[in-house]
PDB file of all heavy atoms in Angstrom:
ATOM      1  N   GLY A 107     128.831  90.580  62.035  1.00 94.00           N
ATOM      2  CA  GLY A 107     129.242  89.264  62.245  1.00 94.00           C
ATOM      3  C   GLY A 107     129.708  88.977  63.723  1.00 94.00           C
ATOM      4  O   GLY A 107     130.055  89.962  64.456  1.00 94.00           O
ATOM      5  N   LEU A 108     129.616  87.796  64.170  1.00 92.00           N
ATOM      6  CA  LEU A 108     130.037  87.314  65.459  1.00 92.00           C
ATOM      7  C   LEU A 108     131.459  87.753  65.799  1.00 92.00           C
ATOM      8  O   LEU A 108     131.717  88.269  66.952  1.00 92.00           O
ATOM      9  CB  LEU A 108     129.693  85.831  65.721  1.00 92.00           C
ATOM     10  CG  LEU A 108     130.028  85.354  67.096  1.00 92.00           C
ATOM     11  CD1 LEU A 108     129.101  86.097  68.074  1.00 92.00           C
ATOM     12  CD2 LEU A 108     129.765  83.759  67.110  1.00 92.00           C
ATOM     13  N   GLU A 109     132.357  87.544  64.900  1.00 95.00           N
ATOM     14  CA  GLU A 109     133.744  87.835  65.218  1.00 95.00           C
ATOM     15  C   GLU A 109     133.963  89.363  65.384  1.00 95.00           C
ATOM     16  O   GLU A 109     134.589  89.766  66.334  1.00 95.00           O
ATOM     17  CB  GLU A 109     134.702  87.344  64.058  1.00 95.00           C
ATOM     18  CG  GLU A 109     134.842  85.833  64.007  1.00 95.00           C
ATOM     19  CD  GLU A 109     135.807  85.394  62.859  1.00 95.00           C
ATOM     20  OE1 GLU A 109     136.597  86.167  62.438  1.00 95.00           O
ATOM     21  OE2 GLU A 109     135.658  84.229  62.671  1.00 95.00           O
ATOM     22  N   SER A 110     133.195  90.191  64.590  1.00 95.00           N
ATOM     23  CA  SER A 110     133.299  91.603  64.766  1.00 95.00           C
ATOM     24  C   SER A 110     132.632  92.057  66.047  1.00 95.00           C
ATOM     25  O   SER A 110     133.043  92.952  66.755  1.00 95.00           O
ATOM     26  CB  SER A 110     132.613  92.361  63.548  1.00 95.00           C
ATOM     27  OG  SER A 110     133.271  92.062  62.344  1.00 95.00           O
ATOM     28  N   LEU A 111     131.566  91.362  66.453  1.00 91.00           N
ATOM     29  CA  LEU A 111     130.900  91.649  67.671  1.00 91.00           C
ATOM     30  C   LEU A 111     131.835  91.409  68.872  1.00 91.00           C
ATOM     31  O   LEU A 111     131.847  92.277  69.812  1.00 91.00           O
ATOM     32  CB  LEU A 111     129.552  90.852  67.776  1.00 91.00           C
ATOM     33  CG  LEU A 111     128.831  91.050  69.074  1.00 91.00           C
ATOM     34  CD1 LEU A 111     128.269  92.500  69.110  1.00 91.00           C
ATOM     35  CD2 LEU A 111     127.699  90.022  69.184  1.00 91.00           C
ATOM     36  N   ILE A 112     132.542  90.328  68.774  1.00 90.00           N
ATOM     37  CA  ILE A 112     133.487  90.010  69.917  1.00 90.00           C
ATOM     38  C   ILE A 112     134.621  91.155  70.025  1.00 90.00           C
ATOM     39  O   ILE A 112     134.934  91.646  71.173  1.00 90.00           O
ATOM     40  CB  ILE A 112     134.096  88.693  69.750  1.00 90.00           C
ATOM     41  CG1 ILE A 112     132.959  87.541  69.903  1.00 90.00           C
ATOM     42  CG2 ILE A 112     135.331  88.419  70.705  1.00 90.00           C
ATOM     43  CD1 ILE A 112     133.512  86.219  69.450  1.00 90.00           C
ATOM     44  N   VAL A 113     135.009  91.546  68.934  1.00 93.00           N
ATOM     45  CA  VAL A 113     136.176  92.567  68.898  1.00 93.00           C
ATOM     46  C   VAL A 113     135.615  93.923  69.399  1.00 93.00           C
ATOM     47  O   VAL A 113     136.131  94.641  70.272  1.00 93.00           O
ATOM     48  CB  VAL A 113     136.851  92.725  67.542  1.00 93.00           C
ATOM     49  CG1 VAL A 113     137.716  93.923  67.469  1.00 93.00           C
ATOM     50  CG2 VAL A 113     137.466  91.433  67.069  1.00 93.00           C
ATOM     51  N   LEU A 114     134.381  94.289  68.915  1.00 91.00           N
ATOM     52  CA  LEU A 114     133.670  95.455  69.254  1.00 91.00           C
ATOM     53  C   LEU A 114     133.424  95.534  70.764  1.00 91.00           C
ATOM     54  O   LEU A 114     133.605  96.471  71.484  1.00 91.00           O
ATOM     55  CB  LEU A 114     132.381  95.678  68.422  1.00 91.00           C
ATOM     56  CG  LEU A 114     131.580  96.914  68.820  1.00 91.00           C
ATOM     57  CD1 LEU A 114     132.405  98.185  68.680  1.00 91.00           C
ATOM     58  CD2 LEU A 114     130.312  96.976  67.887  1.00 91.00           C
ATOM     59  N   ARG A 115     132.923  94.446  71.249  1.00 86.00           N
ATOM     60  CA  ARG A 115     132.649  94.407  72.747  1.00 86.00           C
ATOM     61  C   ARG A 115     133.874  94.657  73.566  1.00 86.00           C
ATOM     62  O   ARG A 115     133.821  95.394  74.513  1.00 86.00           O
ATOM     63  CB  ARG A 115     132.013  92.939  73.100  1.00 86.00           C
ATOM     64  CG  ARG A 115     131.891  92.764  74.431  1.00 86.00           C
ATOM     65  CD  ARG A 115     131.423  91.392  74.803  1.00 86.00           C
ATOM     66  NE  ARG A 115     131.347  91.206  76.263  1.00 86.00           N
ATOM     67  CZ  ARG A 115     131.212  90.000  76.834  1.00 86.00           C
ATOM     68  NH1 ARG A 115     130.947  88.952  76.128  1.00 86.00           N
ATOM     69  NH2 ARG A 115     131.043  89.936  78.191  1.00 86.00           N
ATOM     70  N   ARG A 116     135.078  94.088  73.124  1.00 87.00           N
ATOM     71  CA  ARG A 116     136.235  94.278  73.819  1.00 87.00           C
ATOM     72  C   ARG A 116     136.671  95.762  73.757  1.00 87.00           C
ATOM     73  O   ARG A 116     137.076  96.375  74.770  1.00 87.00           O
ATOM     74  CB  ARG A 116     137.345  93.350  73.283  1.00 87.00           C
ATOM     75  CG  ARG A 116     138.560  93.411  74.051  1.00 87.00           C
ATOM     76  CD  ARG A 116     139.610  92.379  73.664  1.00 87.00           C
ATOM     77  NE  ARG A 116     139.865  92.209  72.274  1.00 87.00           N
ATOM     78  CZ  ARG A 116     139.577  91.135  71.590  1.00 87.00           C
ATOM     79  NH1 ARG A 116     138.960  90.086  72.211  1.00 87.00           N
ATOM     80  NH2 ARG A 116     139.746  91.104  70.197  1.00 87.00           N
ATOM     81  N   VAL A 117     136.547  96.360  72.537  1.00 89.00           N
ATOM     82  CA  VAL A 117     136.883  97.817  72.427  1.00 89.00           C
ATOM     83  C   VAL A 117     135.943  98.648  73.217  1.00 89.00           C
ATOM     84  O   VAL A 117     136.474  99.544  73.993  1.00 89.00           O
ATOM     85  CB  VAL A 117     136.654  98.232  70.871  1.00 89.00           C
ATOM     86  CG1 VAL A 117     136.603  99.701  70.714  1.00 89.00           C
ATOM     87  CG2 VAL A 117     137.795  97.511  70.095  1.00 89.00           C
ATOM     88  N   LEU A 118     134.700  98.404  73.298  1.00 86.00           N
ATOM     89  CA  LEU A 118     133.700  99.166  74.144  1.00 86.00           C
ATOM     90  C   LEU A 118     134.080  99.015  75.601  1.00 86.00           C
ATOM     91  O   LEU A 118     133.997  99.931  76.436  1.00 86.00           O
ATOM     92  CB  LEU A 118     132.239  98.631  73.814  1.00 86.00           C
ATOM     93  CG  LEU A 118     131.855  99.040  72.454  1.00 86.00           C
ATOM     94  CD1 LEU A 118     130.433  98.497  72.139  1.00 86.00           C
ATOM     95  CD2 LEU A 118     131.795 100.607  72.216  1.00 86.00           C
ATOM     96  N   GLU A 119     134.268  97.811  76.033  1.00 84.00           N
ATOM     97  CA  GLU A 119     134.630  97.542  77.494  1.00 84.00           C
ATOM     98  C   GLU A 119     135.877  98.244  77.932  1.00 84.00           C
ATOM     99  O   GLU A 119     135.885  98.834  79.033  1.00 84.00           O
ATOM    100  CB  GLU A 119     134.668  96.023  77.809  1.00 84.00           C
ATOM    101  CG  GLU A 119     133.329  95.368  77.685  1.00 84.00           C
ATOM    102  CD  GLU A 119     133.588  93.788  77.907  1.00 84.00           C
ATOM    103  OE1 GLU A 119     134.662  93.241  77.682  1.00 84.00           O
ATOM    104  OE2 GLU A 119     132.438  93.258  78.334  1.00 84.00           O
ATOM    105  N   LEU A 120     136.851  98.200  77.114  1.00 82.00           N
ATOM    106  CA  LEU A 120     138.184  98.892  77.436  1.00 82.00           C
ATOM    107  C   LEU A 120     138.036 100.402  77.390  1.00 82.00           C
ATOM    108  O   LEU A 120     138.898 101.016  78.068  1.00 82.00           O
ATOM    109  CB  LEU A 120     139.306  98.252  76.391  1.00 82.00           C
ATOM    110  CG  LEU A 120     139.699  96.941  76.558  1.00 82.00           C
ATOM    111  CD1 LEU A 120     140.674  96.532  75.474  1.00 82.00           C
ATOM    112  CD2 LEU A 120     140.292  96.655  77.970  1.00 82.00           C
ATOM    113  N   ASN A 121     137.177 100.935  76.643  1.00 78.00           N
ATOM    114  CA  ASN A 121     137.092 102.385  76.493  1.00 78.00           C
ATOM    115  C   ASN A 121     135.888 103.035  77.187  1.00 78.00           C
ATOM    116  O   ASN A 121     135.625 104.159  77.139  1.00 78.00           O
ATOM    117  CB  ASN A 121     137.137 102.761  75.065  1.00 78.00           C
ATOM    118  CG  ASN A 121     138.358 102.431  74.315  1.00 78.00           C
ATOM    119  OD1 ASN A 121     139.302 103.276  74.569  1.00 78.00           O
ATOM    120  ND2 ASN A 121     138.430 101.386  73.677  1.00 78.00           N
ATOM    121  N   SER A 122     135.162 102.142  77.878  1.00 72.00           N
ATOM    122  CA  SER A 122     133.829 102.641  78.569  1.00 72.00           C
ATOM    123  C   SER A 122     134.106 102.963  80.034  1.00 72.00           C
ATOM    124  O   SER A 122     134.917 102.210  80.775  1.00 72.00           O
ATOM    125  CB  SER A 122     132.768 101.629  78.517  1.00 72.00           C
ATOM    126  OG  SER A 122     131.639 101.922  79.261  1.00 72.00           O
ATOM    127  N   ALA A 123     133.410 103.938  80.617  1.00 66.00           N
ATOM    128  CA  ALA A 123     133.610 104.344  82.002  1.00 66.00           C
ATOM    129  C   ALA A 123     132.845 103.137  82.808  1.00 66.00           C
ATOM    130  O   ALA A 123     133.077 102.940  84.008  1.00 66.00           O
ATOM    131  CB  ALA A 123     133.004 105.601  82.327  1.00 66.00           C
ATOM    132  N   ASP A 124     131.801 102.469  82.226  1.00 66.00           N
ATOM    133  CA  ASP A 124     131.090 101.362  82.937  1.00 66.00           C
ATOM    134  C   ASP A 124     131.035 100.146  81.997  1.00 66.00           C
ATOM    135  O   ASP A 124     130.096  99.994  81.292  1.00 66.00           O
ATOM    136  CB  ASP A 124     129.639 101.887  83.126  1.00 66.00           C
ATOM    137  CG  ASP A 124     128.834 100.929  83.885  1.00 66.00           C
ATOM    138  OD1 ASP A 124     129.382  99.905  84.349  1.00 66.00           O
ATOM    139  OD2 ASP A 124     127.595 101.195  84.064  1.00 66.00           O
ATOM    140  N   PRO A 125     132.034  99.376  82.061  1.00 59.00           N
ATOM    141  CA  PRO A 125     132.002  98.174  81.204  1.00 59.00           C
ATOM    142  C   PRO A 125     130.882  97.175  81.532  1.00 59.00           C
ATOM    143  O   PRO A 125     130.356  96.489  80.627  1.00 59.00           O
ATOM    144  CB  PRO A 125     133.322  97.413  81.671  1.00 59.00           C
ATOM    145  CG  PRO A 125     134.260  98.537  82.187  1.00 59.00           C
ATOM    146  CD  PRO A 125     133.291  99.469  82.825  1.00 59.00           C
ATOM    147  N   ALA A 126     130.243  97.208  82.633  1.00 65.00           N
ATOM    148  CA  ALA A 126     128.986  96.408  82.928  1.00 65.00           C
ATOM    149  C   ALA A 126     127.902  96.856  82.005  1.00 65.00           C
ATOM    150  O   ALA A 126     126.992  96.066  81.651  1.00 65.00           O
ATOM    151  CB  ALA A 126     128.669  96.543  84.482  1.00 65.00           C
ATOM    152  N   MET A 127     127.789  98.190  81.710  1.00 66.00           N
ATOM    153  CA  MET A 127     126.760  98.613  80.870  1.00 66.00           C
ATOM    154  C   MET A 127     126.871  98.135  79.498  1.00 66.00           C
ATOM    155  O   MET A 127     125.895  97.761  78.856  1.00 66.00           O
ATOM    156  CB  MET A 127     126.917 100.236  80.775  1.00 66.00           C
ATOM    157  CG  MET A 127     125.874 100.841  79.884  1.00 66.00           C
ATOM    158  SD  MET A 127     124.203 100.647  80.398  1.00 66.00           S
ATOM    159  CE  MET A 127     124.097 102.034  81.552  1.00 66.00           C
ATOM    160  N   VAL A 128     128.068  97.925  79.009  1.00 64.00           N
ATOM    161  CA  VAL A 128     128.310  97.201  77.690  1.00 64.00           C
ATOM    162  C   VAL A 128     127.681  95.853  77.633  1.00 64.00           C
ATOM    163  O   VAL A 128     126.959  95.464  76.698  1.00 64.00           O
ATOM    164  CB  VAL A 128     129.785  97.111  77.322  1.00 64.00           C
ATOM    165  CG1 VAL A 128     130.059  96.426  76.052  1.00 64.00           C
ATOM    166  CG2 VAL A 128     130.373  98.557  77.199  1.00 64.00           C
ATOM    167  N   GLN A 129     127.795  95.054  78.731  1.00 67.00           N
ATOM    168  CA  GLN A 129     127.285  93.732  78.796  1.00 67.00           C
ATOM    169  C   GLN A 129     125.755  93.800  78.788  1.00 67.00           C
ATOM    170  O   GLN A 129     125.159  92.985  78.133  1.00 67.00           O
ATOM    171  CB  GLN A 129     127.718  92.994  80.075  1.00 67.00           C
ATOM    172  CG  GLN A 129     127.179  91.664  80.246  1.00 67.00           C
ATOM    173  CD  GLN A 129     127.616  90.733  79.108  1.00 67.00           C
ATOM    174  OE1 GLN A 129     128.712  90.819  78.560  1.00 67.00           O
ATOM    175  NE2 GLN A 129     126.808  89.729  78.820  1.00 67.00           N
ATOM    176  N   ARG A 130     125.139  94.766  79.507  1.00 68.00           N
ATOM    177  CA  ARG A 130     123.727  94.870  79.465  1.00 68.00           C
ATOM    178  C   ARG A 130     123.096  95.220  78.100  1.00 68.00           C
ATOM    179  O   ARG A 130     122.147  94.737  77.652  1.00 68.00           O
ATOM    180  CB  ARG A 130     123.160  95.942  80.461  1.00 68.00           C
ATOM    181  CG  ARG A 130     123.383  95.441  82.028  1.00 68.00           C
ATOM    182  CD  ARG A 130     122.726  96.441  82.837  1.00 68.00           C
ATOM    183  NE  ARG A 130     123.405  97.760  82.885  1.00 68.00           N
ATOM    184  CZ  ARG A 130     124.478  98.028  83.639  1.00 68.00           C
ATOM    185  NH1 ARG A 130     125.006  97.129  84.486  1.00 68.00           N
ATOM    186  NH2 ARG A 130     124.838  99.314  83.716  1.00 68.00           N
TER     187      ARG A 130
END
Side-chain angles (χ1 to χ4, degrees):
L108 185 57
E109 289 180 19
S110 292
L111 180 64
I112 291 167
V113 176
L114 178 56
R115 176 184 174 189
R116 188 169 49 244
V117 165
L118 294 174
E119 287 175 340
L120 291 172
N121 292 282
S122 175
D124 184 6
M127 177 65 80
V128 174
Q129 182 61 32
R130 288 189 296 271

